[in-house]
Amino acid sequence: NGVIVRTLYSAISIGTETLMIGLAKKSLLGKALERPDLVKQAIDFAKNEGIINAYRLAMTKLSEPTPMGYSSSGLVEEVGKYAEDEFQEGDLVACAGHGYACHAELTYVPKTLCVKVPDGVKPEHAAFANIGSIALHSIRLAKPEIGSLIAIIGLGLLGQLAVQIARAAGCSVFGVDIVPEKVELAKKLGAEAGAIVGKEDVEVKAQAFAPKGFDSVVIFASTKSSQPIELAAKIVREKGRIVAPGWVKLKLPRNLFYDKEIDFVVPRSSGPGLYDLKYESGSLDYPYPYVRWTVKRNMETFLHLVKRGDVRI
């Protein structure tokens, strides 16, 4: 259901990969405190299968090496039987997925996580296709419209891509970060204005840009604090929307959310299909009329934006 790819470039996602390395170095208790969701899964498994079986499974999982990386580009070397209608040897492709598009010379990638790279897009830029899809999916969930006012909090790799995607969608973008250079870069890439946390009054500058509040606020910041959520709730408009793909503390200020009736969404990476074993194996794709934007279709769109010059890597 896929292809063997000789990797040309693999993109390092600094935030995600740093978090993975940090988690791997923690003690068993540290891992449990960091990922209570997985602890709950283990408890549920133990209830059905017994404590001994749950312990053995957990230890097996924890001892397995995890390949790093999830966004790459390369040349197709072999094509699987059920991928021959889409790929052929020599194709330049962009790849996605943990365990597939990793930092390796040769990788196997299911056809649902692999796309042809358009002419004119450099392979080193195509390697960002999956990372770019995360930014694209988050902006889609912000429900942008032509003329929408969008604030982006956290202007790292994903935030800078999101600024350009939101601008391409016809939105007016306001960038927020703690690093002055990142705010300046966002302005060069399409943000109309910005503010530096800790050095400027972000709320005052935000209100000057969006007097009635932002239609959407997208949070790409990574912090153990809930400050970005609180800031987003203050600057979003009544009945606005907050999208939080970043690793932030999800402690919502209830009064602000209640008073404004704010929508809140936590995106699941780069789009529909990810974490669905049937989709990720390449044995099932979602029907185009019913699921317009899958991981793969988001990757194709992102690469089209790069080709058109709307997104600069």
Side-chain angles (χ1 to χ4, degrees):
N1 291 320
V3 293
I4 301 292
V5 177
R6 181 166 292 280
T7 306
L8 295 175
Y9 295 90
S10 58
I12 298 174
S13 178
I14 295 171
T16 301
E17 295 187 41
T18 301
L19 284 168
M20 287 178 68
I21 292 169
L23 181 61
K25 290 180 177 179
K26 288 182 183 292
S27 65
L28 192 58
L29 177 60
K31 289 181 172 72
L33 292 172
E34 194 77 22
R35 292 298 303 272
D37 55 321
L38 296 181
V39 174
K40 184 179 182 300
Q41 287 181 23
I43 292 171
D44 291 340
F45 183 85
K47 288 178 181 177
N48 296 318
E49 304 294 334
I51 293 174
I52 299 299
N53 287 333
Y55 176 80
R56 286 173 178 165
L57 180 62
M59 289 301 103
T60 300
K61 284 286 185 184
L62 288 170
S63 64
E64 285 180 356
T66 301
M68 303 295 285
Y70 60 89
S71 190
S72 66
S73 68
L75 297 172
V76 173
E77 287 215 348
E78 292 184 45
V79 183
K81 179 180 179 181
Y82 299 116
E84 290 175 345
D85 59 333
E86 191 171 351
F87 299 101
Q88 59 185 22
E89 289 181 25
D91 284 343
L92 176 61
V93 292
C95 311
H98 281 291
Y100 298 116
C102 44
H103 306 311
E105 294 175 7
L106 285 170
T107 60
Y108 165 74
V109 187
K111 62 182 180 181
T112 45
L113 296 175
C114 188
V115 300
K116 288 184 181 180
V117 177
D119 291 339
V121 176
K122 296 178 180 179
E124 58 264 41
H125 293 170
F128 286 85
N130 189 40
I131 293 174
S133 296
I134 296 172
L136 176 60
H137 182 54
S138 296
I139 294 298
R140 287 197 196 283
L141 291 176
K143 298 187 176 179
E145 296 178 333
I146 294 173
S148 291
L149 303 177
I150 290 186
I152 295 177
I153 300 175
L155 298 170
L157 173 58
L158 287 168
Q160 299 291 353
L161 294 174
V163 164
Q164 299 175 78
I165 292 166
R167 183 63 183 267
C171 303
S172 294
V173 184
F174 184 88
V176 179
D177 201 278
I178 60 174
V179 180
E181 290 79 8
K182 291 184 178 181
V183 175
E184 288 305 309
L185 177 58
K187 290 178 182 178
K188 291 178 183 177
L189 293 174
E192 293 180 27
I196 306 162
V197 176
K199 295 189 177 183
E200 298 176 309
D201 192 322
V202 178
E203 290 179 50
V204 169
K205 294 194 74 171
Q207 188 173 23
F209 188 86
K212 295 182 184 297
F214 290 94
D215 298 297
S216 302
V217 180
V218 186
I219 302 170
F220 286 102
S222 178
T223 174
K224 293 182 179 180
S225 164
S226 60
Q227 185 182 6
I229 299 278
E230 294 167 8
L231 174 61
K234 289 175 181 176
I235 65 176
V236 76
R237 68 170 170 83
E238 188 174 338
K239 294 185 180 293
R241 170 170 283 236
I242 296 174
V243 180
W247 286 80
V248 293
K249 187 175 182 180
L250 297 181
K251 184 179 179 182
L252 308 186
R254 189 184 187 282
N255 287 344
L256 279 171
F257 273 74
Y258 177 84
D259 291 343
K260 291 185 176 181
E261 201 173 56
I262 300 167
D263 286 341
F264 183 73
V265 182
V266 178
R268 191 162 64 176
S269 195
S270 48
L274 214 67
Y275 307 118
D276 178 342
L277 294 179
K278 289 186 177 179
Y279 180 92
E280 284 198 355
S281 69
S283 60
L284 172 72
D285 194 3
Y286 299 152
Y288 189 92
Y290 298 99
V291 186
R292 178 63 182 90
W293 302 112
T294 59
V295 177
K296 179 166 181 157
R297 292 164 198 155
N298 277 336
M299 289 172 67
E300 289 171 337
T301 301
F302 179 77
L303 290 175
H304 179 67
L305 292 173
V306 173
K307 178 179 179 178
R308 211 167 61 180
D310 291 324
V311 171
R312 287 181 285 161
I313 304 296

